[in-house]
């Protein structure tokens, strides 16, 4: 924030940089008008002014700006209002038609008023306090409005002549939030250094036209308020015109979790070629409920609310907000109902009603409930879990000991007390005795004996990268690679493809006896990149359960989709490309096309299935067939498909796009091509960058250079958010929010035994240090690189306080669990903070604990899940759910732990 303060003061207030000014007017929401709402003796930000607020009326999704030449309101192209409407066909673009947007009302304002804005570095709760700063305003259509830019200057403490409020006296004012001196007390970065880096970042961007970059890793995303950290990063890159510029913007290296040939991958991975939609779930929400971590909260959702809020979360637990978000259609929740969805469909048929009408009626009558409102009811347990190539119970599962207690029902080291009655949920049923062992069966498929495998009922040995055919690609690398077997899968191992095909064959055989053909009911959330984004205008929260609106599927609650399942034909369908690929079309990010040419190619290249439900369809009976389908159906690897996608987008935007793939329109990358050498991908609407002419990928290049809108409310990059829950937390704009104060919330967590000194420190778990990517920590070469087992890194000062020397055995423990490991004492660690690199399996040189009596746990034995309600918002513009796009993060970096030296004679 302090860097933003300097950039706004020196490059926007004190002098104007034409490149920066033109950029933010064209590509961000800074010129858009925001209404102000009275609050006490001043105002607070409210919502974007929309066409619906103007005398002539219009769409509540059409945001408004002022024309500098006339001073009149303008309804620009590119907003959400023109993305899905018939009138918006050919107008969903960022062409301003000669309009010069007003960036600030300062100098043309009718008045200046005091706005209360949040500050989170002070106050009695996590919600912080408020600071009062002035903004210029005008009255338009009976409403008091200002621009996002004017609010941003106030949020970043940049004063201007004639504006009332509390302003810093200069960069050296340490008492005023936003200044370089203020941040020094928090970060230890000297104020002068912060100011210098800000100037250099902005000046470099000015001279290079946006080529300043922030490179970051995954750690930022692991804090509870990671969204606010990200927004302050983006403030710098957007103000300096860096997004959509090669060499500029922000570069994330957070693992390789996305695939370049996205469209083809989605078709075959999610069976979209046979039936739509599919069930997807946010893992954080799922495990928060079903590992019962929600039962151990020591504060509620209102603790995080700003004093500027309206009390929306008063008396509500985090689990309550998850239940509300699920029933309002904002976020997926599976299992969805407290009744088998197959039975629901049968009941609706017997009642002579459509499934949506029947489900709504049952919900209103109270005879049907959402499973997330009673997760400890045995009817709602997740009974069977299959883990494929993930170390859920040794690496990725935050709150590991709660997994052990409630999912598996085995020994655990949880010391936390359950929430007292005043903090228990109001809308999620509390069972006095928490269940254990919810799972009946755990199956894991992996190529090494991970911690997850050791806790599984069935382990299926899998082939590695050098024993199978597969595709390798990420969103960060410009090539598609192939995996090719150097040897056949040894012993009893099978490739992923063969293992799942074998399971499908046996499942289908049994399903013919026990299931047959059934009708399934799915609760589908309001989806991003679909008209569902229009469902709840203005981000106004109206809960049908409390009578604030009617329950309308797809508007105020989830859509209820009906799918005919032929369970006995699962194996046949897996082995062939389904007809929906060309009849319903494929697509991504809100556009669709029918890849008939690609389907014909696959029938020729792979052959055709014979007999059964897939008769005559392109075969997917071998792993290389599946790889071929992924490549053929994706624009990044099939030029014909890329051109189809761009032309579909041209119809909506009215701007030229197909030429981006024109030079490679005749290219089709086959799996055999990738076996010869890695192949450069094709510019495709699946992604926002351009690799045309040999450029390297940089996100949002197409948006900037071709004026294609961002998929947001305004069609631009956003500084301002105006949803009710966002406002409740005071997060209209980027802001500094400290780590959660667990020391205050949970109190002392030490044992306080005489003669056993303890120290409480912040506990961070960076990415695995001694491994091959995220695997093979138990590889002998990796183990020999350092101490060979789990370690915690700590500062000499902290070690000295508890009598720990380098390589001593220590125990780290808190309410969540315990870790036993060796200490690495190093001057590289700051006092008060320790590291434990993640993903060291708990069976690798992990002794028994003095605290728990069991073997010490892994790095996530000391963490737990806490969900942030604003991450579950849906049904409103860009704040809508999509797979691998928007949902609660699995954060763990706000955690603290107690460390003490233990007996040096250990037992394994």
């Amino acid at each position: 924030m302090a860097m933003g303060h300097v950039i706004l003061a020196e490059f926007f207030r004190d002098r104007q940089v034409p490149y920066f000014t033109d950029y933010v007017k064209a590509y961000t929401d800074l010129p858009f008008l925001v209404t102000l709402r009275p609050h006490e003796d001043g105002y607070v930000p409210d919502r974007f002014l929309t066409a619906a607020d103007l005398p002539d009326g219009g769409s509540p999704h059409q945001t408004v700006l002022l024309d500098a030449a006339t001073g009149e309101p303008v309804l620009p192209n590119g907003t959400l209002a023109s993305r899905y409407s018939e009138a918006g066909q050919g107008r969903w673009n960022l062409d301003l038609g000669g309009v010069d947007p007003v960036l600030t009302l300062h100098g043309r304002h009718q008045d200046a008023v005091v706005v209360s804005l949040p500050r989170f570095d002070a106050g009695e709760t996590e919600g912080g306090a408020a600071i009062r700063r002035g903004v210029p305003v005008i009255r338009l259509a009976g409403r008091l409005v200002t621009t996002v830019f004017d609010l941003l200057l106030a949020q970043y403490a940049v004063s201007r002549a004639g504006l009332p409020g509390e302003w810093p006296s200069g960069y050296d004012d340490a008492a005023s939030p936003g200044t370089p001196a203020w941040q020094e007390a928090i970060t230890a970065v000297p104020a002068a250094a912060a100011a210098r880096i800000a100037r250099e970042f902005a000046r470099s961007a000015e001279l290079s036209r946006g080529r300043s970059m922030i490179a970051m890793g995954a750690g930022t995303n692991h804090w509870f308020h990671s969204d606010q950290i990200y927004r302050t990063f983006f403030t710098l890159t957007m103000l300096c015109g860096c997004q959509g510029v090669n060499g500029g913007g922000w570069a994330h290296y957070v693992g390789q979790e996305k695939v370049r040939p996205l469209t083809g991958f989605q078709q075959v991975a999610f069976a979209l070629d046979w039936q739509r939609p599919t069930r997807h779930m946010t893992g954080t929400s799922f495990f928060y409920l079903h590992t019962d971590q929600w039962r151990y909260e020591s504060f509620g959702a209102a603790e995080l609310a700003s004093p500027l809020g309206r009390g929306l979360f008063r008396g509500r637990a985090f689990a309550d907000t998850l239940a509300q978000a699920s029933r309002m259609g904002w976020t997926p929740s599976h299992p969805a109902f407290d009744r088998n969805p197959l039975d629901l469909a049968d009941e609706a048929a017997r009642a002579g009603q459509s499934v949506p009408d029947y489900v709504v009626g049952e919900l209103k009558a109270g005879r049907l409930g959402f499973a997330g409102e009673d997760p400890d009811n045995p009817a709602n347990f997740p009974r069977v879990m299959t883990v494929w190539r993930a170390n859920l119970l040794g690496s990725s599962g935050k709150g590991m000991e709660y997994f052990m207690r409630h999912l598996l029902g085995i020994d655990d080291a949880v010391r936390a007390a359950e929430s007292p009655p005043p903090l228990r949920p109001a809308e999620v049923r509390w069972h006095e005795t928490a269940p254990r062992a919810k799972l009946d069966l755990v199956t894991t498929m992996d190529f090494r004996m991970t911690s997850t495998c050791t806790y599984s009922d069935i382990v299926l040995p899998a082939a590695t990268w050098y024993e199978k055919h597969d595709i390798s690609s990420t969103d960060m690398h410009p090539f598609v690679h192939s995996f090719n077997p150097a040897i056949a899968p040894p012993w009893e191992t099978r490739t992923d493809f063969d293992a799942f095909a074998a399971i499908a064959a046996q499942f289908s055989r049994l399903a013919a006896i026990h299931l047959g053909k059934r009708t399934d009911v799915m609760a589908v959330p309001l989806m991003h990149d679909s008209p569902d984004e229009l469902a709840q205008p203005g981000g106004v929260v109206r809960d049908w359960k409390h009578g604030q609106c009617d329950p309308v599927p797809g508007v105020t609650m989830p859509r209820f989709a009906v799918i005919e399942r032929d369970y006995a034909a699962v194996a046949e369908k897996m082995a062939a490309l389904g007809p929906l690929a060309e009849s319903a079309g494929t697509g991504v990010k809100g556009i669709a096309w029918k890849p008939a040419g690609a389907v014909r190619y696959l029938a020729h290249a792979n052959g055709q299935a014979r007999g059964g439900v897939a008769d005559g369809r392109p075969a997917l009976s071998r792993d290389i067939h599946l790889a071929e389908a992924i490549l053929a159906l994706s624009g990044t690897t099939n030029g014909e498909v890329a051109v189809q996608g761009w032309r579909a987008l041209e119809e909506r935007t009215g701007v030229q796009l197909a030429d981006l793939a024109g030079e490679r329109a005749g290219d089709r990358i086959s799996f055999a091509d990738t076996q010869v050498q890695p192949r450069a991908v094709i510019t495709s609407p699946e992604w926002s960058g351009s690799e045309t002419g040999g450029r390297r990928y940089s996100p949002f290049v197409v948006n900037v250079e071709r004026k294609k809108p961002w998929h947001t409310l305004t069609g631009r990059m956003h500084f301002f958010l105006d949803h009710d829950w966002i406002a409740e937390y005071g997060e209209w704009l980027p802001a500094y929010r400290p780590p959660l104060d667990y020391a205050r919330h949970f109190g002392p967590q030490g044992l306080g035994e005489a003669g056993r000194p303890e120290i409480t420190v912040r506990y961070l778990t960076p990415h695995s240090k001694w491994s091959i990517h995220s695997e093979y920590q138990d590889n002998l070469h990796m183990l020999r690189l350092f101490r060979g087992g789990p370690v915690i890194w700590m500062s000499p000062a902290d070690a000295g306080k508890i009598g720990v020397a380098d390589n001593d055995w220590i125990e780290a423990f808190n309410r969540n669990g315990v870790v036993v490991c060796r200490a690495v004492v190093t001057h590289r660690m700051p006092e008060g903070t320790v590291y434990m690199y993640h993903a060291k399996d708990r069976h690798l040189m992990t002794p028994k604990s003095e605290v728990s009596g069991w073997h010490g746990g892994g790095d996530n034995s000391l963490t737990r899940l806490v969900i942030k309600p604003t991450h579950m918002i849906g049904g409103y513009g860009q704040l809508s759910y999509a797979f691998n796009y928007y949902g609660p993060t699995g954060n763990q970096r706000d955690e603290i732990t107690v460390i003490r030296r233990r007996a040096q004679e250990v037992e394994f």
Side-chain angles (χ1 to χ4, degrees):
M1 280 199 73
M3 290 177 65
H5 173 84
V6 172
I7 291 171
L8 283 166
E10 298 185 10
F11 294 82
F12 283 86
R13 181 194 64 186
D14 299 344
R15 72 180 181 96
Q16 288 75 52
V17 177
Y19 173 71
F20 293 175
T21 302
D22 292 344
Y23 183 96
V24 299
K25 285 182 177 182
Y27 304 121
T28 80
D29 68 342
L30 286 184
F32 284 85
L33 296 173
V34 174
T35 62
L36 302 179
R37 171 171 55 86
H39 178 80
E40 297 179 351
D41 59 345
Y43 295 87
V44 293
D46 194 23
R47 305 186 190 283
F48 280 106
L49 185 75
T50 70
D53 301 318
L54 300 180
D56 293 338
S59 169
H61 300 98
Q62 175 64 62
T63 48
V64 181
L65 49 76
L66 292 182
D67 184 347
T70 65
E72 294 299 314
V74 174
L75 308 179
N77 289 350
T79 68
L80 185 60
S82 59
R83 185 173 182 193
Y84 301 109
S85 66
E86 183 176 343
Q89 186 80 344
R91 294 185 58 243
W92 189 56
N93 59 60
L94 299 181
D95 184 0
L96 289 169
V99 171
D100 178 20
V102 170
L103 187 60
T104 175
L105 298 183
H106 194 249
R108 62 170 69 219
H109 55 289
Q110 300 165 351
D111 197 1
V113 301
V114 171
V115 174
S116 293
L117 296 167
R119 63 175 299 180
F120 300 102
D121 59 332
E124 298 180 356
T125 71
E126 298 279 0
I131 192 164
R132 294 162 59 84
R133 290 173 177 155
V135 296
V137 296
I138 62 172
R139 193 163 290 278
L140 185 62
R143 290 171 170 81
L144 205 63
V145 299
T146 190
T147 68
V148 175
F149 179 76
D150 288 318
L151 284 171
L152 188 71
L153 287 178
Q155 179 85 344
Y156 274 76
V158 179
S159 63
R160 290 175 291 174
L163 297 183
E166 309 163 33
W167 301 100
S169 58
Y171 289 173
D172 58 352
D173 186 345
S176 187
T179 67
W182 165 81
Q183 68 79 36
E184 182 173 347
I186 299 169
T187 68
V189 175
R196 177 177 58 82
I197 295 169
R199 289 191 195 99
E200 291 176 355
F201 186 90
R203 182 62 174 157
S204 173
E206 178 184 1
L207 296 175
S208 64
R209 297 183 65 82
R211 294 189 177 187
S212 288
M213 177 179 285
I214 297 173
M216 54 163 285
T220 302
N221 199 44
H222 294 169
W223 296 93
F224 183 80
H225 292 300
S226 59
D227 50 350
Q228 286 298 95
I229 303 173
Y230 272 62
R231 290 175 72 186
T232 58
F233 286 0
F234 298 152
T235 294
L236 304 182
T237 59
M238 291 192 290
L239 287 176
C240 296
C242 302
Q243 297 295 158
V245 177
N246 280 94
W250 70 293
H252 67 109
Y253 202 95
V254 296
Q256 297 156 0
E257 68 287 310
K258 295 183 184 292
V259 291
R260 278 300 185 95
L262 182 63
T263 305
F265 165 79
Q266 289 179 334
Q267 289 296 305
V268 296
F270 306 146
L272 299 179
D273 53 328
W274 283 102
Q275 57 233 347
R276 302 175 187 182
T278 189
R279 280 187 175 89
H280 281 143
M281 181 57 184
T282 51
T284 303
S285 304
F286 178 87
F287 289 115
Y288 179 70
L289 287 181
H290 293 296
T291 63
D292 278 322
Q293 296 187 50
W294 61 275
R295 296 179 64 98
Y296 299 87
E297 298 292 5
S298 68
F299 58 96
E303 170 69 24
L304 303 168
S306 167
L308 305 176
R310 300 176 176 179
L312 298 182
F313 297 127
R314 190 173 295 119
R316 306 185 67 200
F318 291 110
D320 288 327
T321 66
L322 175 54
Q324 181 179 359
S326 300
R327 67 173 175 263
M328 291 185 67
W330 293 356
T331 191
S333 184
H334 299 299
F337 307 108
D338 57 7
R339 204 178 305 173
N340 189 318
L342 302 181
D343 294 339
L344 267 181
D346 293 343
E347 292 168 12
R350 287 194 294 270
Q353 293 181 270
S354 70
V355 166
D357 287 346
Y358 181 78
V359 171
V360 169
E362 291 293 285
L363 288 169
K364 290 174 66 175
R367 292 186 294 267
L368 178 68
F370 285 91
E373 295 176 352
D374 192 4
D376 286 350
N377 183 338
N380 300 328
F381 287 179
R383 297 289 187 176
V384 178
M385 183 168 69
T386 300
V387 182
W388 173 48
R389 293 283 303 281
N391 194 2
L392 176 68
L393 303 177
S395 171
S396 56
K398 279 77 173 178
M400 187 60 58
E401 300 300 322
Y402 300 92
F403 281 73
M404 302 299 169
R405 173 177 288 189
H406 296 290
L407 272 187
L408 300 182
I410 61 176
D411 298 329
D412 66 84
V414 174
R415 297 168 57 234
E418 291 187 340
S419 303
L423 291 175
R424 293 176 183 175
E427 297 185 324
V428 174
R429 184 182 174 192
W430 183 277
H431 294 249
E432 287 305 316
T433 301
R436 291 176 178 252
K438 293 182 177 181
L439 290 172
D440 293 334
L441 176 67
V442 180
T443 302
T444 297
M445 186 185 304
D446 210 323
F447 50 70
R448 67 184 189 91
M449 187 57 72
T450 64
S451 295
T452 305
C453 292
T454 63
Y455 289 111
S456 297
D457 300 292
I458 299 172
V459 178
L460 302 176
T464 70
W465 298 289
Y466 305 107
E467 298 159 2
K468 64 178 181 178
H469 293 107
D470 209 336
I471 298 172
S472 173
S473 72
T474 80
D475 57 328
M476 295 174 286
H477 304 137
F479 299 99
V480 176
H481 307 250
S482 65
F483 289 143
N484 297 284
I487 61 170
W491 305 100
E492 294 183 327
T493 63
R494 296 192 187 185
T495 67
D496 308 316
F497 181 88
D498 287 342
F500 280 115
I503 293 170
Q506 292 304 312
F507 172 86
S508 298
R509 180 180 65 81
L510 294 169
I513 302 170
H514 300 285
L515 288 171
K517 294 182 179 180
R518 298 290 299 275
T519 302
D520 189 10
V521 180
M522 288 177 53
V524 183
L526 305 172
M527 298 296 290
H528 182 51
D529 285 328
S530 81
D532 292 349
E533 294 182 345
L534 305 169
Q536 299 177 17
V540 177
V541 177
R542 296 188 179 95
D543 191 343
W544 59 266
K545 185 174 182 178
H546 295 293
Q548 297 164 353
C549 60
D550 292 328
V552 181
V555 180
T556 62
M557 65 193 314
R559 288 185 289 115
F560 300 123
V562 178
I563 296 181
E564 300 300 321
R565 308 277 189 192
D566 186 353
Y567 290 103
V570 166
E572 292 181 10
K573 291 181 176 181
M574 278 186 63
L577 184 71
L580 294 184
E582 69 265 39
S583 63
T586 60
V588 68
K589 296 184 177 179
I591 56 171
W593 56 89
K594 296 183 178 180
V599 174
R600 287 193 298 271
Y601 163 77
L602 288 171
H604 174 76
N606 293 355
Q608 297 173 315
R610 296 182 178 180
V613 298
D615 185 45
R617 300 300 305 167
L620 302 179
S621 55
R622 298 173 59 196
D623 49 8
I624 58 174
H625 292 164
L626 202 66
E628 201 71 62
I630 292 172
L631 297 172
L633 294 171
S634 300
T636 54
T637 43
N638 185 338
E640 179 187 31
V641 170
V643 171
Q644 279 186 287
W646 286 123
R647 285 178 177 158
L649 191 54
E650 283 180 342
E651 293 180 9
R652 172 55 58 177
T653 61
V655 300
Q656 184 178 3
L657 296 167
D659 62 298
L660 291 168
E663 65 183 10
R664 299 189 63 185
D667 288 4
R668 183 193 298 117
I669 300 172
S670 68
F671 186 70
D673 292 334
T674 66
Q675 291 178 299
V676 175
Q677 67 181 44
R679 299 291 173 163
V681 296
I682 301 166
T683 301
S684 166
E686 292 154 283
W687 301 97
S688 62
S690 172
E691 283 142 318
T692 305
R695 296 173 67 171
R696 290 285 68 92
Y697 183 88
S698 185
F700 310 124
V701 164
V702 174
N703 304 80
V704 169
E705 296 183 359
R706 300 300 178 97
K707 297 190 180 299
K708 173 199 168 291
W710 278 262
H711 298 194
T712 64
L713 176 67
T714 65
R716 283 80 173 164
M717 295 179 284
H718 272 236
F719 290 88
F720 185 78
L721 300 174
D722 64 346
H723 192 277
D724 277 355
W725 280 18
I726 294 284
E728 187 67 16
Y729 276 11
E731 295 181 2
W732 297 281
L733 293 158
Y736 166 70
R737 295 202 73 157
L740 296 178
D741 189 357
Y742 281 161
R744 175 170 67 85
H745 295 308
F746 294 102
Q749 298 184 56
L751 297 178
E753 297 176 358
R756 303 291 299 275
E758 302 171 337
I759 187 171
T760 299
V761 291
R762 182 163 303 286
Y763 174 72
L764 305 181
T765 56
H767 195 279
S768 177
K769 188 175 181 67
W770 299 285
S771 64
I772 301 171
H773 192 232
S774 58
E775 300 286 350
Y776 289 128
Q777 297 86 351
D778 53 355
N779 180 285
L780 189 59
H781 297 293
M782 296 293 106
L783 295 174
R784 286 173 172 170
L785 288 176
F786 202 58
R787 307 282 169 89
V791 295
I792 283 181
W793 295 54
M794 59 193 311
S795 71
D798 289 332
K801 295 174 186 176
I802 55 175
V804 166
D806 186 60
N807 213 44
D808 278 354
W809 285 106
I810 59 173
E811 295 205 11
F813 56 94
N814 59 19
R815 67 205 180 282
N816 303 319
V818 61
V819 163
V820 185
C821 63
R822 292 189 181 274
V824 177
V825 181
T826 171
H827 66 279
R828 287 180 284 177
M829 291 302 301
E831 185 176 1
T833 299
V834 301
Y835 276 179
M836 185 175 189
Y837 288 97
H838 87 272
K840 189 72 70 174
D841 277 301
R842 60 197 300 162
H843 57 267
L844 290 176
M845 299 180 66
T846 302
K848 289 184 177 179
S849 164
E850 296 176 334
V851 173
S852 69
W854 309 111
H855 276 91
D859 57 288
N860 274 319
S861 290
L862 300 179
T863 65
R864 65 178 294 270
L865 290 171
V866 185
I867 57 173
K868 188 170 182 179
T870 51
H871 293 181
M872 298 181 289
I873 292 169
Y876 180 46
Q878 71 270 28
L879 302 177
S880 302
Y881 169 77
F883 175 73
N884 208 19
Y885 162 75
Y886 193 79
T889 59
N891 53 84
Q892 81 280 357
R893 291 210 166 187
D894 302 67
E895 193 55 79
I896 59 174
T897 188
V898 179
I899 296 180
R900 73 179 188 183
R901 190 176 188 271
R902 58 153 294 146
Q904 298 304 290
E905 291 293 327
V906 298
E907 179 184 352
F908 289 95

